[in-house]
């Protein structure tokens, strides 16, 4: 609604009020006229003129009032309609809010009820779990008691009945039998060690002498003129190990760096000592293993699978070092170590000698390697065609003796 339009009826309404009061004034004037003196009543034309003027002004005021009252009616109706629509919308919103509040109150009541019931449910679950555990405990206790009673009953039956006594006797007899067997074995081993028949010993010594002569006749001779081709082959292999090492070669071939000092030591063993002699230690067991690996690799190339290496060391720890070092230098595995394999490990010289004798009889070529910790070498080891011993230094021998 235009502000100018709202101000216009207010301005025009003032004359309407004044015009509405005009009839009252007219009645008052008429009464006053009637009460006038005959002198004033004698003037009728003036009163009639005033009356006409008042009636005309009254009619004009009414028309203006009707016009003024007719102008704002449409605008007021539109405002009233808008207000009614707004009231209806607010009433609808109020109803929706009331419904939402009612639903929230119902949800809150449900949650409060659930919260109130939760501790009770937890308490019931705990009580049921405790009852179940107590029942299981009682069941287990009953079962344990039954088993204990059964065990005691069985023990009593074994003590009293014939079956129990016989079983006890059998256990005792078996223990006595084991004792007798052990004692007889000790007696047999002691009798074997006695020198009861010197004639057989003489026969054994003669057989050993014959075997020694045979081994000496079959011993390889690397330094003689008839074996020049073999000597050239050995030198070629040593030069190959020193100049062109093959770190990924086949098994039983040297896979580590071969220095000139190593080549000198092993060449001296082959060509000067003839494959049978002692070399001064290289200062560490790993260096000795490298020299021995070169000898094994060369002889393996010459004799193939006929070569059997027999290693002697006086402790399992040193044998373990030799095994790991040979695996690393020759590219072999644990499967190559064993009684019937390429390398056999020994802690004592006696079984080594027996194994070497069997290998010679089978046509094999034993190579005996002796660790530097062996202070004394058995004479029986020197009868075989190939043996390599590492001699310790004087300082090491003195320290070992002092220890």
């Amino acid at each position: 609604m235009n502000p100018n339009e709202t101000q216009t009826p207010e301005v025009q309404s003032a004359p309407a009020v004044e015009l509405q009061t005009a009839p009252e004034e007219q009645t008052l004037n008429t009464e006053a006229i009637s009460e006038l003196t005959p002198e004033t009543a004698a003037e009728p034309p003036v009163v009639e003129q005033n009356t006409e003027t008042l009636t005309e002004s009254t009619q004009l005021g009414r028309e203006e009032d009707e016009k003024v009252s007719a102008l704002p009616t449409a605008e007021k109706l539109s405002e009233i309609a808008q207000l009614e629509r707004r009231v209806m919308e607010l009433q609808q919103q109020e109803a929706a809010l009331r419904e939402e509040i009612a639903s929230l109150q119902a949800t809150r009541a449900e949650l409060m009820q659930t919260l109130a019931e939760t501790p009770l449910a937890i308490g019931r679950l705990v009580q049921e779990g405790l009852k179940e555990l107590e029942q299981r405990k009682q069941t287990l206790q009953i079962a344990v008691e039954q088993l204990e009673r059964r065990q005691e009953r069985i023990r009593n039956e074994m003590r009293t009945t014939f079956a129990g006594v016989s079983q006890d006797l059998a256990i005792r007899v078996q223990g006595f039998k084991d004792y007798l067997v052990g004692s007889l074995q000790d007696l047999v081993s002691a009798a074997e060690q006695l020198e009861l028949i010197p004639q057989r010993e003489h026969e054994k010594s003669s057989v050993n002498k014959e075997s020694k002569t045979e081994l000496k006749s079959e011993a390889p001779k690397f330094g003689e003129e008839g074996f020049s081709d073999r000597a050239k082959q050995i030198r070629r292999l040593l030069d190959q190990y020193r100049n062109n090492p093959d770190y990924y070669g086949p098994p039983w071939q040297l896979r580590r760096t071969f220095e000139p000092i190593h080549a000198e030591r092993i060449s001296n063993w082959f060509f000067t000592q003839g494959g049978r002699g002692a070399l001064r230690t290289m200062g560490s067991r790993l260096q000795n293993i490298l020299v021995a690996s070169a000898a094994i690799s060369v002889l393996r190339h010459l004799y193939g699978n006929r070569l059997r290496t027999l290693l002697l060391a006086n402790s399992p720890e040193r044998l373990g070092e030799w095994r790991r070092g040979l695996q690393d230098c020759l590219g072999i595995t644990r499967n190559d170590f064993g009684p019937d394999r390429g390398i056999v490990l020994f802690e004592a010289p006696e079984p080594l000698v027996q194994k070497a004798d069997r290998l010679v009889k089978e046509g094999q070529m034993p190579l005996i390697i002796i660790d530097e910790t062996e202070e004394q070498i058995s004479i029986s080891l020197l009868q075989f065609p190939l043996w390599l011993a590492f001699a310790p230094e004087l300082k090491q021998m003195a320290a070992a003796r002092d220890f």
Side-chain angles (χ1 to χ4, degrees):
M1 225 165 76
N2 195 352
N4 296 325
E5 294 178 356
T6 55
Q7 293 175 1
T8 305
E10 292 178 356
V11 174
Q12 293 176 358
S13 61
V17 175
E18 294 177 355
L19 292 174
Q20 289 176 0
T21 56
E24 295 177 356
E25 294 178 355
Q26 182 179 2
T27 54
L28 293 173
N29 292 326
T30 52
E31 291 177 356
I33 291 169
S34 61
E35 292 177 356
L36 290 175
T37 56
E39 295 177 356
T40 57
E43 296 177 355
V46 177
V47 172
E48 290 177 358
Q49 290 179 356
N50 291 331
T51 302
E52 291 176 358
T53 304
L54 289 173
T55 52
E56 289 177 359
S57 63
T58 301
Q59 291 178 355
L60 290 174
R62 288 177 180 176
E63 291 177 359
E64 289 178 357
D65 290 337
E66 290 177 357
K67 290 179 180 180
V68 171
S69 60
L71 286 174
T73 303
E75 294 178 356
K76 290 180 180 179
L77 291 175
S78 63
E79 289 180 359
I80 292 169
Q82 289 178 358
L83 292 174
E84 289 178 352
R85 285 194 299 271
R86 181 62 177 170
V87 169
M88 291 177 66
E89 291 176 357
L90 292 174
Q91 290 176 353
Q92 292 176 357
Q93 290 180 0
E94 182 182 2
L97 290 173
R98 290 181 182 277
E99 292 178 357
E100 187 175 358
I101 290 169
S103 63
L104 290 174
Q105 289 178 350
T107 305
R108 181 176 177 275
E110 292 178 357
L111 291 174
M112 293 297 291
Q113 185 177 1
T114 305
L115 290 174
E117 293 176 355
T118 301
L120 299 175
I122 293 173
R124 287 195 298 271
L125 290 175
V126 171
Q127 290 178 359
E128 291 176 358
L130 290 174
K131 289 181 181 178
E132 184 177 358
L133 291 175
E134 289 178 355
Q135 291 176 359
R136 292 179 63 183
K137 180 181 177 181
Q138 293 176 359
T139 305
L140 291 174
Q141 288 178 352
I142 293 169
V144 169
E145 291 176 356
Q146 291 176 355
L147 290 174
E148 289 178 352
R149 288 195 297 270
R150 184 178 179 184
Q151 182 182 7
E152 188 66 24
R153 186 172 64 253
I154 291 171
R155 286 179 178 176
N156 294 329
E157 290 177 358
M158 288 179 65
R159 292 192 188 99
T160 56
T161 60
F162 175 77
V165 174
S166 63
Q167 185 177 2
D168 191 11
L169 289 174
I171 292 171
R172 293 181 180 179
V173 169
Q174 183 65 31
F176 184 68
K177 179 182 176 182
D178 295 338
Y179 170 73
L180 288 177
V181 170
S183 300
L184 291 173
Q185 288 178 353
D186 294 337
L187 288 173
V188 170
S189 60
E192 289 178 353
Q193 293 178 0
L194 294 175
E195 297 180 357
L196 298 176
I197 305 174
Q199 185 178 359
R200 290 184 179 179
E201 183 180 358
H202 180 70
E203 291 177 357
K204 288 181 180 179
S205 62
S206 62
V207 171
N208 289 332
K209 289 180 181 179
E210 291 177 359
S211 63
K212 287 180 182 178
T213 55
E214 291 177 358
L215 288 173
K216 288 181 180 178
S217 62
E218 294 178 0
K221 299 177 181 178
F222 302 109
E224 296 184 0
E225 296 180 356
F227 297 92
S228 60
D229 295 337
R230 182 171 290 181
K232 290 179 182 179
Q233 190 175 5
I234 293 171
R235 286 192 175 92
R236 181 178 57 79
L237 290 173
L238 293 177
D239 292 338
Q240 178 183 350
Y241 297 158
R242 185 167 57 87
N243 298 323
N244 297 315
D246 188 2
Y247 299 105
Y248 302 96
W252 300 105
Q253 180 179 337
L254 190 65
R255 294 187 175 187
R256 289 293 171 262
T257 303
F258 202 58
E259 299 296 337
I261 187 172
H262 303 134
E264 182 182 356
R265 294 287 178 90
I266 199 65
S267 298
N268 184 26
W269 182 76
F270 271 114
F271 303 118
T272 304
Q273 298 176 351
R276 301 174 73 250
L279 296 177
R280 187 173 295 279
T281 180
M282 299 293 296
S284 66
R285 184 168 286 106
L286 293 176
Q287 297 295 321
N288 296 338
I289 292 171
L290 180 59
V291 174
S293 299
I296 294 171
S297 179
V298 171
L299 294 173
R300 190 83 178 184
H301 185 79
L302 295 177
Y303 296 102
N305 293 329
R306 287 182 58 202
L307 181 71
R308 296 295 181 86
T309 303
L310 308 179
L311 180 62
L312 177 62
N314 59 6
S315 67
E317 291 79 9
R318 296 186 178 94
L319 289 175
E321 291 182 12
W322 273 95
R323 180 181 58 78
R324 290 189 294 271
L326 293 174
Q327 286 181 358
D328 184 55
C329 292
L330 297 175
I332 57 179
T333 61
R334 293 178 64 93
N335 295 328
D336 296 313
F337 293 83
D340 298 327
R341 303 293 180 178
I343 300 176
V344 188
L345 306 178
F346 295 93
E347 294 184 24
E350 290 79 10
L352 190 148
V353 173
Q354 295 177 3
K355 180 65 176 178
D357 287 333
R358 286 196 297 270
L359 291 174
V360 170
K361 291 178 182 179
E362 293 173 359
Q364 305 293 330
M365 181 62 69
L367 168 63
I368 300 172
I369 298 176
I370 304 171
D371 187 56
E372 60 181 351
T373 55
E374 293 291 330
E375 296 181 358
Q376 297 179 356
I377 298 176
S378 177
I379 298 174
S380 59
L381 296 174
L382 306 180
Q383 63 181 333
F384 298 103
L386 294 172
W387 59 273
L388 171 60
F390 290 95
E393 295 181 357
L394 297 176
K395 293 181 181 180
Q396 293 180 356
M397 292 177 66
R401 288 175 182 174
D402 294 339
F403 180 75

